[in-house]
Amino acid sequence: MDISTIVLIIIALNGLVTYKGLNDFSFFNKYCFDISRINAGEKHRFFTSGFLHADWMHFMFNMLTLYFFADIIIFTSGVLYFVLIYLVSLVVGNVLTYQFFKNQPNYRAVGASGAIMGVLYASILLNPDMSLYLFFIPIPIPAYAFAVGYLLYSIYGMKKNNDGIGHTAHIGGAIAGLVLILLKYPVLLKAEYKLIAILLIPVFILVGMYKNKRIR
């Protein structure tokens, strides 16, 4: 499978920043998502934290997902719209994270997962019949099932809040990717309304848990 130049650039950039962050504690602290520092005015962290990762497994999972799904958007909508989805999903994911944790000054997290989930959700709408193989499951898994399952796991991660990964950003990024692809192809709203409803299940669950104060 060929890989687009822009995807290689994004993977390389994430890799370089992650390498620097994992080997330079002061660098990591300067650019990670840190509520106390954001509240002090360091808004750049909404963007920079999306290029850091908690460890190399975290990095590999995100970049493999990007590798498998990015070109669907690029071939359908062009490089610029792909970059728009990636960056907007990254920032929206972190903005949602801030809304959940802005009163918890000790909250810190990193990860490109908001951007990755935006790309994943957008690509699934463009190719609803996609499937993929997971290492531990020898049969193809529908991509939408993988996406929904991962967001449900993200809600669990939000509740635990003990691994340094920005799970809340996954939800915000997924919503951003979904909205951006529907804005470009509004016909999908009617053609794939059932799929959209399935993809939004974790969002509805999160809203219900938040209203019932089961997650903060």
Side-chain angles (χ1 to χ4, degrees), residues 10-126:
I10 291 173
I11 291 174
L13 183 57
N14 274 275
L16 288 171
V17 175
T18 295
Y19 176 81
K20 177 67 173 176
L22 292 178
N23 290 279
D24 186 336
F25 191 66
S26 63
F27 180 90
F28 190 94
N29 282 339
K30 185 177 181 180
Y31 295 111
C32 72
F33 190 92
D34 184 324
I35 291 292
S36 65
R37 301 313 306 164
I38 291 173
N39 286 338
E42 297 181 7
K43 306 303 183 186
H44 65 272
R45 294 172 183 268
F46 282 108
F47 180 76
T48 59
S49 62
F51 293 89
L52 288 164
H53 289 81
D55 52 47
W56 286 113
M57 282 298 295
H58 184 205
F59 168 82
M60 288 297 296
F61 183 85
N62 276 341
M63 295 305 107
L64 278 174
T65 304
L66 180 68
Y67 170 78
F68 285 118
F69 292 97
D71 279 343
I72 295 169
I73 301 172
I74 293 170
F75 294 152
T76 304
S77 308
V79 171
L80 290 180
Y81 207 73
F82 162 74
V83 173
L84 177 69
I85 289 174
Y86 186 92
L87 295 179
V88 171
S89 298
L90 187 159
V91 174
V92 169
N94 282 334
V95 168
L96 181 65
T97 301
Y98 180 76
Q99 291 304 312
F100 269 86
F101 297 103
K102 61 186 176 183
N103 296 319
Q104 298 183 29
N106 293 325
Y107 180 87
R108 301 169 85 236
V110 292
S113 300
I116 303 304
M117 289 306 301
V119 169
L120 177 59
Y121 260 52
S123 64
I124 288 171
L125 270 187
L126 292 173

Side-chain angles (χ1 to χ4, degrees), residues 160-190:
K160 300 292 288 185
N161 190 23
N162 61 2
D163 57 8
I165 296 173
H167 293 286
T168 314
H170 303 177
I171 307 290
I175 294 170
L178 194 69
V179 169
L180 285 169
I181 212 66
L182 288 174
L183 286 174
K184 188 166 181 66
Y185 304 107
V187 66
L188 291 172
L189 191 59
K190 182 177 181 179

Side-chain angles (χ1 to χ4, degrees), residues 112-153:
S113 300
I116 303 304
M117 289 306 301
V119 169
L120 177 59
Y121 260 52
S123 64
I124 288 171
L125 270 187
L126 292 173
N127 187 0
D129 296 325
M130 266 192 306
S131 60
L132 65 159
Y133 285 89
L134 300 179
F135 296 116
F136 49 88
I137 301 177
I139 58 174
I141 303 297
Y144 70 84
F146 168 77
V148 170
Y150 190 58
L151 283 193
L152 291 174
Y153 167 75

